[in-house]
Every structure is written in structure tokens, then in C-alpha cells.
Amino acid sequence: MDEDQSAEETTFVVEEITTVIKETVESTIGNNSYQHSKINQWTSNIVELSLSQLTKLGKPFKYIVTCIILQKNGAGLHTASSCFWDNSTDGSCTVRWENKTIYCIVSVFGLAI
Amino acid sequence: MANQPLPLSQETLAQFNRSMATEPGVSGPPRRRLGSISTRRSSKDQSKDQPHHRPLFLRGMTVISSESSFLSPNVSHSHISMGKRFSFAGWHQGGRVSFSGLYLQQPIQEVYVENTYRMGPEPGCHFSPSRTQQILQATLDSYLDGVCYSPDSCSQLCQMLADLVLSKLKDVNPPRYKLVCQVVVGQSGKQGIRVASRSLMNPNTDNYTSAVFQNHSLFAVALVHDQ
């Protein structure tokens, strides 16, 4: 029984994390329009809240959370990531969120301890 | 016979030719000497040069590349000049052990890695953010200098950059460290953009670096976390 529990806990569950991140972004930005003065605060909030929610999951993981907030102006954006890790235990997920004036991309990488 | 101060390659060539043509007993000593040199060399290989599983070629050419450091020059010269198969007499007088073209392979031993019980990196082996930052910045500058943003090619460029940075950092990485590398490439318009990241890590051993590149048409941000 202990082994089953540890097996469940030591894998990176994408759905759970996606839900957590979406809620965080909604609660921070919601329907606000892009404001240059508040961007700093928004990104910090998103990232800190996400990280605290992730630690509340209680899994033996190290997390890296990256947040990109982009104003909708017709410009293009690409993001790519490459990782050197243990495929069986580590994983990542990316959440894309948008409203009328803002694009928000949050990436979470989880590395098993 | 080998004590004569002739050009040694020619001397041994002559000896070989003689040994090939005549009876074993007559030129027993030189052949045996040559034979003994060859077997001694292979045993030296086993102890010194090849602790692991390199195949031992006893044909002429290939032996030299691995052993020229401790061979006497006359034997090496002869092997290079001969370039053909020859058989050596073994240790026993009157007996003949032929090694021509024989492919001797060391038994491949599986390596069993034991538990090191190590809880953290060794004292000198930490991740170095400054060196990584230099590598990141140099890579971005060299690859993006003068490049124009185009929606079709930039996705490939972004992925290629991420893989490239990862491969460069793998060489510099201390052992047992994991790497996460993220590259953001965007068009330089009049929009604002903010990239933020935070990580839950062990501050004694883990760290991160970032580098930014910008030109008239695009910008790029590279982020590397090392844990």
C-alpha cells in the first residue's frame, strides 16, 4: 500500500496542475485590460500564487513556474523549451490564457526529487 | 643480431623475410624475439592501456595507434612498413602460435553502480550561473544577429535555439544536475511584454540564469534553471 501511494504521488499530473494554474490566472488578471504599471505586480502574483498552490499539493517535486504576459498588438510570439531530466518522473505543462487585451502563457516544470 | 646499428626498420624487415622463408629452428631467436615482443605488447595492453573493452587487433597497422608510446621504435617501424599478415612463433621452441588477423575482444564486463548515498553535489561541483550566462548570451548573439522575424521560420528557430542551448550546457553541467531551458522569441512591435519566473528549489545547490537579445525586428529571452 505504501508503494502504491508513493507511485501516485511521484508522477507529474498535468490535469491537476492545469486546473490550479487557470484558477490562479483568472483570480489575478480576470477581465482587466493591459496596464503597463500593473504588469509587474500581475506577473509576480501569478507566479507566487501558482507556486504556493503547487506546494500545497504536497508532492515530492521541485517546481519552476514561468509566466509570460503579452499585450495583444498583432505581434507574434514563439516559446520553446528543452529539458534535461528524468523522463519517467519529471514533466511539464503549459497553460495559455487570454482576454481581450492580454495573452498570458504560464509554464510549469516539475522535477522529481 | 638486433644489436647491429643498422637502420632498424630495414633490419627487422630483413629478419622477417628470412623467417618467413626459412625453417623455424634457424631463425628461431629473432622470430621468437619478435613473437615475444608481440605477446608482451598484448599483455601490456591488457594491463595498462585497455582496462575496458577495446578489441585487440594483432594485424599490422592498427596495433600501432594504441601502443606507440611504449613500443620500441624498431618494431613499430616494421609493422608500418609491412602492412601485411605475419605469424609469430610462440614462446615454446618448435611450437608455432599464429595470431595473424585474429580479433581478440576483451570480455565486456557489466558495470554495476552501487549506491553512493550522496545527498548533495560535491563541494567544487556546483552550478555556475556566471559561466552559464556567458554561454547563453554568446549563443543568442551569434545565432540571432541580423535575423528578421518571420512567423513561419521563427517557431523552428525557437525550438532549434532551445535544443542548442541545452546541448551546449550539457557539456558544462556538473554531474547529476537536471536542466530546464526555455526560450521565448517574439516580434519587436510596440507591445509590452513581461517574462517572469519563480522556482521552488534548494537554494544551496540550485540556481538559474537568463539572457536577453534584441534587434530591430525581434527579441529573445533565454531562461535556464539548473537543479
Side-chain angles (χ1 to χ4, degrees), chain A residues 34 39-40 47-48 55 62-67 69 71 73 76 78-84 90 107 111-112, chain B residues 149 155 162 166 170 178-179 181-187 191-194 196-200 206 225 227:
Chain A
Y34 183 89
I39 274 290
N40 265 353
V47 166
E48 279 179 27
T55 46
K62 291 180 176 175
Y63 294 104
I64 298 168
V65 179
T66 320
C67 169
I69 294 187
Q71 189 181 12
N73 213 8
H78 299 270
T79 144
S81 69
S82 62
C83 306
F84 183 60
D90 307 329
S107 303
L111 308 178
Chain B
Y149 178 85
S155 61
L166 192 71
K170 270 199 264 187
K178 293 179 180 178
L179 275 175
C181 162
Q182 188 168 13
V183 175
V184 181
V185 172
Q187 189 177 15
Q191 82 281 5
I193 180 173
R194 184 125 188 115
S197 96
R198 198 154 298 222
S199 72
L200 188 68
D206 307 332
H225 289 260
Q227 297 195 348

Side-chain angles (χ1 to χ4, degrees), chain B residues 98-110:
Chain B
S98 163
F99 289 110
S100 63
L102 191 63
Y103 183 90
L104 288 182
Q105 192 164 15
Q106 300 277 18
I108 296 175
Q109 294 160 3
E110 280 190 25

